[in-house]
Amino acid sequence: MRLVIFFLTVLLIFTTSINAQSEYEELICPDLSNGEESSQEGGRFKPSENDAGEYFRALIVFVQFQDDERTNTNWPLDELPNWADDFIDDEVLSTYTDSTFSDYWDEMSQDNYDFIGDVYPDLVILGDEEDYDNDPTANYFDCNVDVFDSIEINVDWSDYDNWEFDDDEFVFTEGDADGYVDMIIMIYRDPDTWFTRFVPYGENFTAIASLGSENYNYITHDSLTIRFAANTVSTIGSGITYRLGLRGHLNSIETMAHEFGHYLFGGGHTNYGGIMGGKTYALSGWELNKLGYVAWTVADQDGYTITLGDMITDADLLKIPISGTQTFYLVENHQRLSSYDQIMRGGTQNGGYDWTTTAGSGIYIWLITSGA
């Protein structure tokens, strides 16, 4: 009984700071529908792990409008951002480059997911943003189509057709899977809110796990399909659109993890914590378990004792069931041994991100109300 009282007390302490803000601006992301039925173990609409010799490869494209005049030290006008080469590794490595999207997923997955990619070598410069804004029917869909018109002849799209969903599992076939491009990430500098028109519940979004607000198949020169799934995540959906690239490198990693999370978990959001609820940068314990990255230990008797290691580096989690319900407590030990473990509540950080300190480390306890 004393153990349960202790857990409840800590839970109340940490939930008092639930509205703490990060140093980054709020992520605005619309809920999406979930598309067709798909895998419920591991990634739902895209694979969340791979075997040796396999990988998940994406194409990253940086985009600017011709009339953009804003200066930014991290993304100079008419050039790729200075962090473009640091966003993702382009090959499978035993140790990925620190602070890349590849390193992030390698660490979250306990070395079980090789998410690699290629950065399109040139900045894509579209026409004047004012012209798009003045077209009452235009939004991000039209921009992405124009980007593909500009680059598609220069890309071997088979490099990005490596996975298909077949008989309730993801199957890797290098360069010749299902005829659909697996993943394209479009990163724009910072277009105005016209860019987000016609997106249900998503006006003024930061990013979206979609390439367009219309169902549309873009056929490439080598006869592959880039699927624009309208406000829907699905196994054949082909991409992510990020509107606010001027926020910089580390914010882009966090935002892309969230948007790709829609392909792993579905179209909705959790109410707090993890990549689908925000404010923690790393995946939450519930998310790590759902994707098969970390198995939890269940406290199934009175007086249960456990030495709980760090959640990220030791892959430890403790689940405390509440008898007769699907609700449970999830206990996470955050010693902040991983640079991506940015969960901090109260104290000097008050929910901010800081890669230079271990402040905020300790035991965090979440009440999970929707079952396992």
Side-chain angles (χ1 to χ4, degrees), residues 26-92:
E26 192 75 18
L27 170 66
I28 301 173
C29 176
D31 283 345
L32 304 173
S33 58
N34 282 330
E36 73 275 13
E37 290 298 318
S38 187
S39 172
Q40 297 301 302
E41 295 183 4
R44 185 172 182 188
F45 298 111
K46 299 293 181 184
S48 59
E49 61 183 3
N50 56 266
D51 293 331
E54 300 175 350
Y55 52 83
F56 189 86
R57 183 184 293 276
L59 176 67
I60 293 85
V61 184
F62 291 94
V63 188
Q64 174 193 308
F65 292 96
Q66 181 65 47
D67 56 351
D68 191 343
E69 297 180 346
R70 287 162 296 182
T71 59
N72 185 280
T73 56
N74 293 318
W75 189 340
L77 279 168
D78 303 328
E79 299 177 21
L80 291 171
N82 58 18
W83 46 270
D85 291 337
D86 301 321
F87 182 75
I88 197 166
D89 284 311
D90 62 3
E91 61 180 336
V92 175

Side-chain angles (χ1 to χ4, degrees), residues 189-219:
R189 274 184 117 237
D190 190 4
D192 209 344
T193 55
W194 63 268
F195 193 78
T196 71
R197 288 187 292 216
F198 318 125
V199 179
Y201 315 112
E203 185 176 351
N204 200 28
F205 65 71
T206 304
I208 189 169
S210 171
L211 292 174
S213 57
E214 301 178 26
N215 285 321
Y216 179 72
N217 289 332
Y218 190 105
I219 308 302

